[in-house]
Amino acid sequence: MSNFEFRGIVPALITPLDEHEEIDEQGLRELTETLIKKGVHGLFALGTNGEFFSLTDDEKVRVATIVKDQAAGRVPVYAGTGGYTTRSVIELNRRMEEVGVDGLSIITPYFNGATQAELILHYQRIAEATTLPILLYTIPAKAGVTLTIDSVAKLSEIPNIRAIKDSGGDFDRLVQLIRLRRDDFAVFTGTDSMILWTLMAGGDGAVAATTNAVPDVVMTIWNAWKAGDFETAREAQEKLRPLRNAFALGTMPSVLKTAATLLGMPAGPARSPVQALTPEALEKLKQALKVYDRVER
């Protein structure tokens, strides 16, 4: 599927787990199937809400294999392969090439930070070592580091670096990134509260984790915007707010996984040390989700 476009709504998949915190293959297949039937434009496995930081490389390969198999060529499948060291990313990318994923999402190195020169070299070496298209992924609140606009501009010149997912929540920065977009370099928001505004500003789409729980709402933003129905798109965008606000009720991705479960999507628990929501937090989440009962069934 090398001729696919980077565009549209791409859910950042949660990784369904069973009660023993092991990968729930059937749940992952059901989630993949449901989202494809809802009309998503691609699937992004092993992102932040997919608990990539809690999974071994073998588990990551298994998750990607399941999603790719279930998708069966209907939509492109991206795998998150980011890690701190350049060599570990290159090695996991080789394994993902064997799986047959369509693209790689690579988060900036985290925890220890890195200079812009180091970040650029990191991505250059990774890009040289794979033929797959690469999506840059910045999430400064979690990684503690981000790519500057200048660094993104430099990296966008590398032929197989094809897109960026920016999860910083800074709309001015996003607009600056959108100025860099070309036919061969796409700009996605990773902040679900900004999907419509990103599209209106000329962005290509969103890598949107809330799609796991409320796919109809998220797809309505895209479909209504595409049809020129701004009012419906804006209403759908506003409808995401209760779920987004509820994320503060627990450690990521416990709230999203609980919401998905309550709305009938496969999810299961998050992997320890993340724990289930407190009874008080669960009650607040249930109240927040009442707005979705009419749409998500």
Side-chain angles (χ1 to χ4, degrees), residues 32-139:
T32 299
E33 191 62 31
T34 298
L35 292 173
I36 290 173
K37 286 180 173 164
K38 295 289 187 182
V40 301
H41 302 98
L43 295 164
F44 168 34
L46 305 166
T48 308
N49 281 285
E51 298 174 86
F52 81 91
F53 44 82
S54 302
L55 301 170
T56 66
D57 278 6
D58 285 350
E59 287 176 320
K60 290 176 186 179
V61 169
R62 186 168 170 233
V63 166
T65 302
I66 293 166
V67 175
K68 180 67 185 171
D69 180 67
Q70 190 65 35
R74 289 174 289 173
V75 296
V77 173
Y78 313 96
T81 57
Y84 183 72
T85 63
T86 309
R87 63 193 298 168
S88 67
V89 178
I90 289 171
E91 176 54 34
L92 185 53
N93 287 348
R94 285 199 185 110
R95 297 181 67 182
M96 290 300 185
E97 284 177 2
E98 291 171 10
V99 171
V101 300
D102 302 288
L104 304 165
S105 170
I106 300 173
I107 194 171
T108 51
Y110 38 81
F111 181 72
N112 193 36
T115 66
Q116 292 302 304
E118 288 167 338
L119 290 171
I120 289 170
L121 189 59
H122 176 72
Y123 281 108
Q124 284 172 335
R125 288 178 172 167
I126 289 165
E128 285 165 7
T130 185
T131 57
L132 287 173
I134 288 171
L135 174 95
L136 306 171
Y137 175 19
T138 57
I139 180 165

Side-chain angles (χ1 to χ4, degrees), residues 129-193:
T130 185
T131 57
L132 287 173
I134 288 171
L135 174 95
L136 306 171
Y137 175 19
T138 57
I139 180 165
K142 297 291 182 188
V145 67
T146 196
L147 290 161
T148 64
I149 302 295
D150 285 347
S151 294
V152 176
K154 286 191 182 83
L155 291 171
S156 74
E157 299 296 333
I158 296 172
N160 59 328
I161 293 185
R162 295 284 310 281
I164 184 168
K165 172 197 175 188
D166 185 80
S167 297
D170 178 342
F171 189 65
D172 182 61
R173 173 182 156 89
L174 198 64
V175 169
Q176 292 178 65
L177 288 172
I178 288 168
R179 287 188 187 141
L180 300 177
R181 70 170 301 283
R182 307 183 301 270
D183 287 348
D184 62 351
F185 187 74
V187 177
F188 289 85
T189 184
T191 306
D192 294 22
S193 57

Side-chain angles (χ1 to χ4, degrees), residues 168-238:
D170 178 342
F171 189 65
D172 182 61
R173 173 182 156 89
L174 198 64
V175 169
Q176 292 178 65
L177 288 172
I178 288 168
R179 287 188 187 141
L180 300 177
R181 70 170 301 283
R182 307 183 301 270
D183 287 348
D184 62 351
F185 187 74
V187 177
F188 289 85
T189 184
T191 306
D192 294 22
S193 57
M194 287 166 40
I195 298 171
L196 178 58
W197 319 117
T198 300
L199 295 172
M200 292 183 68
D204 294 278
V207 179
T210 52
T211 319
N212 290 281
V214 288
D216 291 333
V217 177
V218 180
M219 290 312 301
T220 297
I221 300 172
W222 172 270
N223 293 330
W225 172 78
K226 203 75 177 150
D229 183 355
F230 173 69
E231 193 55 37
T232 300
R234 194 183 63 76
E235 284 171 10
Q237 178 67 76
E238 280 300 305

